[in-house]
Each structure stands twice: as C-alpha cells, then as structure tokens.
Amino acid sequence: MPHDPDPPPAKRFKPGSPFFRLNKKPGMLLPRKENASVPVDVQRKHLPIYQAKSQLINRLRQLDGAVLIGETGSGKTTQIPQYLYEAGIGRQGIIAITQPRRVAAISLAGRVAEEKKTQLGKLVGYTVRFEDMTSSETKLKFMTDGMLLREAIGDPLLLRYSVVVLDEAHERTVHTDVLFGVVKSAQRKRREQSKFPMKVIVMSATMDVDLFSQYFNKAPVLYLEGRQHPIQIFNTKQPQSDYLQAALVSIFQIHQEASPSQDILVFLTGQEEIEALARTCRDISKHLPETCCPMMVIPLYASLPPAQQLRVFQAAPKGTRKVVLSTNIAETSITIPGIKYVIDTGMVKAKKYNPDSGLEVLAVQRVSKAQAWQRTGRAGREESGLCYRLYTEDEFENFINMTVPEIQRCNLASVLLQLLALQVPDVLNFDFMSKPSSEAIYTAVEQLDLLGAVDRKDEHISLTPLGKKMASFPLEPSYAKTILLSPDFSCTEEVLTIVSLLSVDSVLYNPPARREEVHTVRRKFISSEGDHMTLLNIYRAFKNVGGNKEWCRENFVNSRNMALVSEVRAQLREICLKLGMTLQSSRTDMGNVRRCLAHGLFTNAAELQPDGSYVALDTHQPVAIHPSSVLFQAKPAYVIFNELLHTSKCYMRDLCLVDADWLHDAAPEYFRRKLRAAKS
DNA sequence: GAGCACTGC
C-alpha cells in the first residue's frame, strides 16, 4: 500500500450527527418497504404518499400553483399525475410532467401505464426527442423539459395543457429554468385572457425551496415523506492534502472492517482518475490477508459503453464486496442498489463560464452543500447507511449552499434565440428565477446580432426573419445559420452531415493503448482540408457499408454515436424541407462546403501569426491547434474551429482550413480591423 | 504532442 502522509485511517475520521433528509412535518407518513411480488395497485397503496392522498387532492384542487417537496421514493412523480386525473382535475386538457432526462420520462411513463393497466401511448404516454409515444387519447404525458420548451414556440400559452408538473426542479437545468418563466407567464396570460386556467406544480427533492415558492407568487409548499433511512456521517479531522489518497485509504479501511455484503460508492471527478484508482484498488486487494474478502471494483462514468455501465446493477458474488467508483452520474442519473457506504471526495468536475471571454472551462472544484447532501443520501436508499466525507466540518461549512444554476454559467445565445422565438416581449428583462449576469446577456445579444438573427432598436430586441428560421433548429445559433446559408453554396446535404457530426459526442474512439493502429486505419479518411472534411469522409464511408458494426470496430468508430448522427441529420433535414429549402449536394467539391462553414462560423476563426502561433480573431486570445486535429502538423494561415477547450493551453478543436477572403466576405465590418491580411 | 463532468432540443 502506498505511503500515507496523513494520520492513520482509524484516526482520520470523527463522527458527526446522523443525517435525516427531511425534518418531520405535520401530516407525514411512515416509510414502508416495497415488495416486487405485490400487484401494482396494492403497491400504490403502500407508497408513503398514499395516506396523504385525499388531503393532497383537496389542496391541489384549490391551488393555481404549489411547490411539492419529497424524496425520490415518496412516489410523488408517479402518483400525483394519477391522483389529479382520477379526481377529475385538469380534465379539459393534458397533464404534462416534465423531466430533465429522456430515460426518466420514458421509464416513468411505462410505470404509470402499467399502474393504470393501459397500453403505453394511450391514456399515458411520453414525448422525447426522436420519439413520440402519445395519441389523441393521451391525458398523462411525460416529457423532457426541453421538449415542452420546443412545443411552447408554437404555442406560448401551452393551451393543450391543463396542468404542468415541473419535476426535479432542484436540478436547475437550463431548460427547467427557462420553463419556469414560460410557464409562469403562460399561467398569468391565460388568466388575463380568461382562457381555461393552468395549474403549475413544482416538485423538488431539496428543502431549500423558498426561491421556488417566492417566484411562483408565494405558492404554498407541501411536504411529503420519502423513504430515506438514517445515515451516520463522518468527517475527516484534518483537511486532506490528497483526496485520491484519502479515498484509497478510506476504501480499504471500510473494506477490512465491514461485512462483505455491504457495498461502497465513491464519488470522484472523472474518467482518468477513476480508471487509475480502479487499477490501484485491484492491485492492493490482491495482496490483502486471507481474512479479507475479495473486492469487485466497478468504474462508472457516462462515456462508458452501456454494457459496462450495466455492471453496477449486478450484485457481487456472495462474499465479495462491490466498490463503485463513479462520477456525479451516480448523484442523479443512476441509482445503484445495495450501497451501504458512501465516500465523498467533495470534488466535482464542472463547467465554468467566463462571460467576458465567452470561454467555458472544465475544472475540478468543490461541490455545493446541496450536492454533498445528495451524495450522502445515496447511502440510505434501502436501509441505514454511512457516509465518509473526506473533508472537515469546517470545510463543509465553507461550501456554497446550492450549485450555481446552469443558466448562470453557460453561453446564453441559444437561450435568448429561443426566448425571442417564444415572443417574450422584453428578453433583456425576462423573469428568470435566477437572473444571469448582464454581461452574459449582452455577450449573447452581440453574438446573435453578428449572425444577423436580431434587430436592435435602442433597448428593444426583435427577431429577424433569418433569426426566426434559425430558432426552428434544435442547434447552436451558428450551426443553424450555417445550414440556412448552405443553399447559397449548393452544399446543404454536406453541411447537414457536418453539423450533425459536430452536435453529438465524438464519433471517434481513440484508445491510447492502440494509438498506432488508430493512426493507420484513420489515414485513409484524412483530408488535408481539416477535421470537418475528415469527419464527412468517415460518415460517407459509414453509410457506404450500411452502418456495419464490424466496420465500426475495425475503424475505431463509435457506432452508437454514429447512429445518433443519422437521427439528428434526419431531423434537421426535415426542418429544412419544412422551411422550403432546396437540398443540393456539392458532391466532390469540398471548396464550397468550406466556404459555407467560413460564412456560418466566422466568429470562430483563428489566424496564424508570424511566430507560428495562432490568435482567435474574435477575442484575440492566443490559441493552439489541438494535437487530435488532422491539421496539427500543418500551419494553415486561417482556420475556423468548432470549439475552444481550455486545459493546459487554450486549444482549438475540430478545425477547417479557410481563406481570409471568405471570412472577410462573410462579415466585412466585423473583420475590418481583425484580419492581418484584410482585403483592401 | 493532449486527454473532455452531466444533460437536452
């Protein structure tokens, strides 16, 4: 075992108070165990929420809005919609229940359809991107929050809906936050115009709900008991200089003391860290005394192939301990059964946004208190648990209370475009629950203005006809613009492919251990014109073999992401047709495709300097070509790039060779002073 | 010559 500079394990921690997720409130209910062999209608009655049913219905019938607090496991998400429907509340329209994630929307709909003993897609259905399982009969509709937002563009008053339930509101995704404002204004306008009323129910797992209640006109807060079991919390006595070392020591301290059937979940920050720690744990566990049980180490992060992700749900063989090393994917998206111990490093990798430079940086940082509680809660899902926090109580007190909502740390260009499409009268003063900084809003307006999406008259901002078309694409504004420009260059088919490729996760596998092999097979696709054209070549080859899985494996192509590219492409193509665009292919003429990209993505341009370095023309930020680019060895005078990645340097990723003239023609005013070799 | 948490339309 590596040398441990900190105190010996047994002395490292001191116990804190047991953690109960909820304080007791009047009208609360006792948790009970679920039993899979019991029929669903009986199970429904065993849910904690059932005993509050009539009370809940009476309150909700009277209220326009309510904030509902309840743990996962309280049954609120599956039961509330059914209670409303069964009580005849909101029968004039559809009851919508929004979720931040697709899988959640789909599985919840399945569960409720089963409870209602009806076929999915009839009374109960769901709508997510690429999949609509609803019909004219559907009254209970589970959907992603992004999907309801899309629908609102065509129907800002949401007149199909009688009730909107915003679930998992505490997660504060961009989509949920925008929906808050959209739903609130729709509710008010319907009242003003004497349309039939809309009920808004906000559901959250955290106790910190004053903000929600205040925002929704002081809506009453209703509490529901969940099934949280007590969790004993331990903090370190001293701050830890090395959280990985501290995690390692804690894992083996628990491993040597606890019964083998008790599993451990460790929260870490990323793939590399997790894989490294997994190797160390496996090595050490081989050399432990006979008295110690075997250890099964399971890494968990989003980019893991689905088959490997499923391993966390399998129980370890009898007498073996399961140790799950996870990113924050296990905080919300994936619930792992059998976890008795949680080890929280208190660290997370998250995106930060600098509104001045427009740069997003991915950085390891401290979690918020709310996040720490969420992690702790993962230890008490089935029975009482223990949580080891690798930080002191004082350190914890200094954590921020809530994670800063995503809307305050992202580029707002697409959000603003969407708000304008929703006919929000004054976007600069949109009623956000947590208003983003005025710098961030201003930067976004500037971006949209440059793209020709908005008209500015004093303080009033409106959508141009181009902007209106741009908003109909589920894409970053600059990508939408590029597609809309493509008919001028007779290359819409190619641009659709490229934009689709850029808007999903990477379609390329790059296993470091097989670098030479990857290099060899990829050579045949490489275009000297850059990464966009190389990706286009790969997509064309993929289509030529009909998406053959074997071909994907041989060529280190991620077939799952490639399939997603096809789906995205089909959706975008459909929107083009609806807008009446003619879809032409440039076939072998890549020059036109590059011209088109230069015209659409000119804000992401960089210029070679006399000293051989690059400067981003928009911000004058020094940038470098990422070593993964096919242009890494080349020194093109001008490139456009897909994104900037700030790590050891500021790297451009996914580059395309362009001419200075094209950039100049795309935005003469903008480039007048920016280009070295500016056209006279 | 580097390495990217997690979602979503």
Side-chain angles (χ1 to χ4, degrees):
Chain A
M1 211 157 150
H3 173 67
D4 174 19
D6 292 313
K11 290 189 180 163
R12 194 186 279 262
F13 291 99
K14 74 177 179 195
S17 52
F19 157 57
F20 288 93
R21 187 56 184 253
L22 297 176
N23 298 315
K24 293 276 173 192
K25 299 280 173 186
M28 302 261 295
L29 311 146
L30 291 173
R32 296 214 189 133
K33 277 251 169 193
E34 197 171 340
N35 187 339
S37 63
V38 175
V40 280
D41 47 344
V42 180
Q43 272 182 40
R44 277 189 75 190
K45 292 179 183 166
H46 283 179
L47 283 166
I49 193 177
Y50 180 74
Q51 290 168 54
K53 182 177 174 179
S54 58
Q55 209 184 331
L56 261 170
I57 292 171
N58 287 337
R59 288 302 303 277
L60 292 177
R61 195 190 297 278
Q62 295 155 5
L63 295 167
D64 285 337
V67 180
L68 232 94
I69 315 283
E71 272 295 325
T72 327
S74 65
K76 64 183 189 312
T77 311
T78 55
Q79 302 308 301
I80 298 273
Q82 295 186 69
Y83 291 176
L84 294 170
Y85 178 77
E86 286 158 12
I89 299 171
R91 285 279 175 111
Q92 303 130 291
I94 299 167
I95 299 173
I97 308 97
T98 69
Q99 295 292 322
R101 283 171 290 280
R102 292 165 53 94
V103 275
I106 296 169
S107 67
L108 285 164
R111 173 73 195 184
V112 172
E114 191 190 334
E115 289 186 5
K116 295 300 293 178
K117 300 191 166 59
T118 154
Q119 201 187 331
L120 191 58
K122 302 275 189 186
L123 175 69
V124 185
Y126 66 85
T127 304
V128 296
R129 190 180 188 187
F130 308 129
E131 242 189 303
D132 184 11
M133 274 292 264
T134 61
S135 61
S136 55
E137 293 169 55
T138 303
K139 292 289 176 190
L140 302 181
K141 179 167 162 183
F142 289 84
M143 60 205 300
T144 45
D145 40 22
M147 207 65 217
L148 184 58
L149 214 47
R150 274 279 137 194
E151 282 191 13
I153 292 179
D155 173 19
L157 296 188
L158 297 169
L159 288 166
R160 303 169 67 192
Y161 301 99
S162 52
V163 182
V164 174
V165 181
L166 302 164
D167 199 12
E168 311 284 7
H170 59 280
E171 290 191 26
R172 304 294 305 274
T173 67
V174 174
H175 287 156
T176 322
D177 266 31
V178 177
L179 261 187
F180 285 151
V182 169
V183 162
K184 184 179 173 183
S185 123
Q187 188 183 39
R188 196 193 64 237
K189 283 187 189 147
R190 274 161 66 161
R191 198 182 301 122
E192 286 166 3
Q193 298 172 15
S194 305
K195 302 255 177 22
F196 80 97
M198 177 167 71
K199 216 181 269 300
V200 178
I201 301 173
V202 177
M203 302 215 271
S204 168
T206 44
M207 295 298 288
D208 194 2
V209 288
D210 288 351
L211 202 58
F212 295 136
S213 171
Q214 281 295 329
Y215 181 78
F216 284 101
N217 315 307
K218 305 206 167 111
V221 179
L222 312 175
Y223 296 86
L224 291 168
E225 181 166 288
R227 294 184 177 184
Q228 190 63 58
H229 300 91
I231 298 164
Q232 179 81 37
I233 296 173
F234 298 87
N235 281 93
T236 57
K237 291 177 185 172
Q238 301 293 329
Q240 302 298 302
S241 51
D242 179 349
Y243 68 85
L244 286 175
Q245 177 64 16
L248 187 67
V249 172
S250 308
I251 291 167
F252 282 94
Q253 175 186 346
I254 296 166
H255 184 56
Q256 285 170 310
E257 290 165 5
S259 142
S261 62
Q262 300 178 330
D263 296 339
I264 307 173
L265 170 62
V266 190
F267 284 101
L268 296 151
T269 69
Q271 170 174 353
E272 207 177 80
E273 184 177 284
I274 286 171
E275 291 295 353
L277 193 65
R279 275 193 301 275
T280 313
C281 286
R282 287 181 192 125
D283 283 352
I284 295 173
S285 66
K286 275 183 219 150
H287 300 104
L288 288 176
E290 292 286 312
T291 53
C292 218
C293 71
M295 182 187 274
M296 183 168 103
V297 184
I298 301 173
L300 179 65
Y301 44 85
S303 61
L304 216 55
Q308 284 190 56
Q309 280 190 8
L310 289 176
R311 289 182 58 209
V312 300
F313 297 111
Q314 293 164 5
K318 210 168 159 52
T320 300
R321 183 187 327 281
K322 186 159 85 175
V323 177
V324 180
L325 308 180
S326 174
T327 61
N328 45 348
I329 193 172
E331 254 172 52
T332 49
S333 307
I334 294 178
T335 298
I336 306 156
I339 297 299
K340 179 78 173 179
Y341 290 89
V342 162
I343 298 174
D344 179 16
T345 57
M347 307 303 282
V348 66
K349 199 179 284 186
K351 209 169 249 179
K352 284 181 177 174
Y353 178 69
N354 179 344
D356 297 327
S357 67
L359 273 184
E360 290 176 336
V361 183
L362 204 57
V364 173
Q365 49 201 301
R366 280 296 194 194
V367 296
S368 64
K369 283 189 189 131
Q371 231 176 333
W373 287 122
Q374 179 70 25
R375 290 178 171 191
T376 297
R378 293 307 203 183
R381 304 277 308 178
E382 286 157 17
E383 51 170 48
S384 65
L386 298 94
C387 177
Y388 286 77
R389 292 178 165 174
L390 306 182
Y391 39 86
T392 65
E393 277 170 291
D394 285 347
E395 285 179 300
F396 175 76
E397 283 311 315
N398 286 324
F399 290 3
I400 54 167
N401 282 327
M402 307 293 279
T403 309
V404 177
E406 203 184 350
I407 194 112
Q408 292 181 333
R409 47 187 174 92
C410 73
N411 182 310
L412 293 171
S414 59
V415 169
L416 283 197
L417 187 67
Q418 205 153 27
L419 289 177
L420 287 161
L422 285 161
Q423 297 158 48
V424 169
D426 180 10
V427 278
L428 295 184
N429 295 300
F430 182 70
D431 183 16
F432 284 109
M433 188 150 86
S434 306
K435 201 173 165 70
S437 72
S438 45
E439 288 82 11
I441 295 176
Y442 180 76
T443 307
V445 172
E446 285 281 289
Q447 278 176 19
L448 291 177
D449 195 14
L450 269 174
L451 293 170
V454 293
D455 268 332
R456 286 202 270 187
K457 289 204 183 76
D458 303 317
E459 282 294 274
H460 187 72
I461 292 162
S462 59
L463 225 46
T464 60
L466 174 68
K468 200 169 176 196
K469 285 183 187 170
M470 282 165 63
S472 52
F473 290 93
L475 290 171
E476 283 301 307
S478 57
Y479 290 164
K481 163 105 184 226
T482 311
I483 291 177
L484 288 163
L485 285 173
S486 64
D488 298 347
F489 300 90
S490 315
C491 59
T492 304
E493 296 288 1
E494 285 72 27
V495 167
L496 281 173
T497 304
I498 290 169
V499 165
S500 306
L501 282 159
L502 294 180
S503 60
V504 307
D505 287 335
S506 176
V507 295
L508 305 177
Y509 279 124
N510 289 307
R514 301 172 72 181
R515 227 171 53 183
E516 284 307 310
E517 249 179 291
V518 174
H519 191 73
T520 314
V521 298
R522 206 154 280 163
R523 196 170 294 158
K524 57 181 176 287
F525 303 116
I526 287 179
S527 159
S528 56
E529 294 168 296
D531 301 297
H532 297 74
M533 304 305 134
T534 303
L535 284 169
L536 182 61
N537 289 339
I538 293 173
Y539 181 83
R540 284 175 167 172
F542 171 83
K543 282 288 157 185
N544 278 338
V545 297
N548 181 297
K549 288 248 171 70
E550 190 54 40
W551 179 91
C552 288
R553 247 193 309 278
E554 285 165 9
N555 289 282
F556 297 98
V557 165
N558 182 329
S559 62
R560 184 171 45 139
N561 287 349
M562 231 8 166
L564 193 60
V565 170
S566 298
E567 275 196 294
V568 171
R569 191 182 186 285
Q571 188 188 28
L572 300 179
R573 197 168 188 275
E574 201 57 40
I575 295 169
C576 288
L577 291 173
K578 271 192 193 136
L579 291 174
M581 292 165 62
T582 30
L583 309 184
Q584 288 178 284
S585 167
S586 69
R587 298 177 189 281
T588 51
D589 175 16
M590 291 301 111
N592 258 347
V593 179
R594 289 191 292 123
R595 257 185 213 102
C596 181
L597 292 175
H599 274 75
L601 305 172
F602 66 86
T603 52
N604 284 358
E607 181 183 54
L608 181 67
Q609 303 301 298
D611 67 358
S613 70
Y614 282 86
V615 162
L617 290 172
D618 189 43
T619 55
H620 296 291
Q621 163 104 19
V623 291
I625 300 181
H626 196 277
S628 67
S629 170
V630 298
L631 293 180
F632 181 64
Q633 311 277 13
K635 288 267 180 210
Y638 290 93
V639 291
I640 51 114
F641 54 87
N642 185 35
E643 62 171 352
L644 287 178
L645 179 74
H646 203 124
T647 49
S648 58
K649 276 187 196 169
C650 198
Y651 285 107
M652 301 179 274
R653 274 211 311 202
D654 296 323
L655 315 192
C656 176
L657 195 97
V658 295
D659 275 11
D661 288 356
W662 303 344
L663 293 174
H664 186 270
D665 293 347
E669 271 307 308
Y670 173 81
F671 279 114
R672 185 143 300 161
R673 280 188 300 274
K674 291 191 192 264
L675 287 167
R676 286 182 80 78
K679 233 180 164 183
S680 51

